[in-house]
Amino acid sequence: MTVPETGSRTRVALLSHCLANQNAKVDEYALCPGVVTPVVAILKEFGYAIQQMPCPEMAFLGVNRWWQVKEQYDTPGFRRHCRNLAFSVAELLEARVARGCEDLVLVGVDGSGSSAVTFTGIGPAWGGRPEDMSWEVVPGKGVWIEELEQVLAERGLPVPRGFGVAMELPGFTMEKAMAEFRGFLAAGRAGLDAQQ
C-alpha cells in the first residue's frame, strides 16, 4: 500500500504489515477487519508516503501459526530470515532517501515479540503452543525491528523514529493510541520545523 507523494521532499512511514492487513495476524489477535484505518488515516493526514513492510512471522511460520513471545522468535533462523527481508526494505528506502526524505518513521506493533518498537512481550518458559497466557511486557524491540534497524544502519540509511501501536498490550484502546500517535507525529514535525 503506497500513498502518492507530494512535493520534492517526502515523509515516509514504514508500516508493519499487519497494520495494513489484519488478516496476517495470529487468530484471536486481529482487532480490525483488514486495515487499521485510524493509523493509515492519520499518516495520510500528516502527509506520509506509506511503505507497507513484509510480515516476517507469516512468511516464516505461515498463516496457521500461534502467538509467540520474543524468546521464541529469537533464533538464528528467524533472525536470518528477518535480515533477508530487511534488505528488501532497505533497497526501497534507498530510492526514497535519494529523492529526498525529510522524515522517516517506523510504525510497529508493541507487545509483539517480532514487530514491537517500544515494549515487547517475553515469556522465558514458553515453548510450543502456549496454554498459559501469562507473559511479561518489558521495554525493548521485537526481533524483526532489531534486525531491520541493524540492516538500515549497516547500509548507511537513517534509522527511523519509531512508534508502536500497542494493540497487543492489556488495556489497549484505539482512541488513546491514536491520540499518542498524533502527538508523536506532531512532535516530529515540530522538531523538523525548528531545524529549518
Side-chain angles (χ1 to χ4, degrees):
M1 166 186 289
T2 303
V3 175
E5 301 170 22
T6 57
S8 60
R9 299 192 61 78
T10 61
R11 295 181 174 98
V12 176
L14 298 175
L15 187 65
S16 281
H17 185 92
C18 62
L19 293 173
N21 176 16
Q22 286 276 283
N23 298 307
K25 299 288 288 178
V26 171
D27 285 346
E28 303 170 33
Y29 274 82
L31 299 181
C32 300
V35 175
V36 182
T37 306
V39 171
V40 173
I42 291 170
L43 286 171
K44 288 172 68 177
E45 174 189 330
F46 276 79
Y48 283 86
I50 298 171
Q51 182 64 57
Q52 181 184 15
M53 295 187 294
C55 175
E57 303 101 88
M58 188 169 62
F60 193 74
L61 298 169
V63 294
N64 293 324
R65 68 195 185 280
W66 56 78
W67 46 95
Q68 297 190 51
V69 288
K70 185 171 182 178
E71 288 87 351
Q72 290 170 301
Y73 286 122
D74 196 1
T75 66
F78 188 70
R79 283 195 177 271
R80 188 170 41 254
H81 169 71
C82 288
R83 282 186 65 78
N84 288 336
L85 292 177
F87 286 121
S88 67
V89 173
E91 287 173 3
L92 292 170
L93 195 53
E94 282 174 345
R96 289 193 182 275
V97 168
R99 291 196 312 258
C101 178
E102 67 181 2
D103 189 19
L104 176 64
V105 298
L106 185 151
V107 186
V109 181
D110 273 356
S112 167
S114 174
S115 298
V117 174
T118 312
F119 293 97
T120 190
I122 63 169
W126 278 29
R129 184 174 179 87
E131 300 299 332
D132 175 10
M133 290 300 292
S134 62
W135 54 294
E136 186 179 351
V137 177
V138 298
K141 299 177 188 300
V143 171
W144 160 233
I145 301 303
E146 288 175 348
E147 292 298 325
L148 174 64
E149 289 184 351
Q150 184 175 341
V151 167
L152 295 179
E154 289 170 3
R155 301 277 290 256
L157 292 165
V159 174
R161 297 184 302 118
F163 182 86
V165 181
M167 294 179 78
E168 297 188 5
L169 295 181
F172 171 80
T173 67
M174 190 65 75
E175 295 76 18
K176 181 176 184 250
M178 293 305 97
E180 292 170 353
F181 188 39
R182 281 181 181 282
F184 167 79
L185 294 176
R189 180 179 284 177
L192 289 168
D193 290 345
Q195 291 174 9
Q196 295 175 354

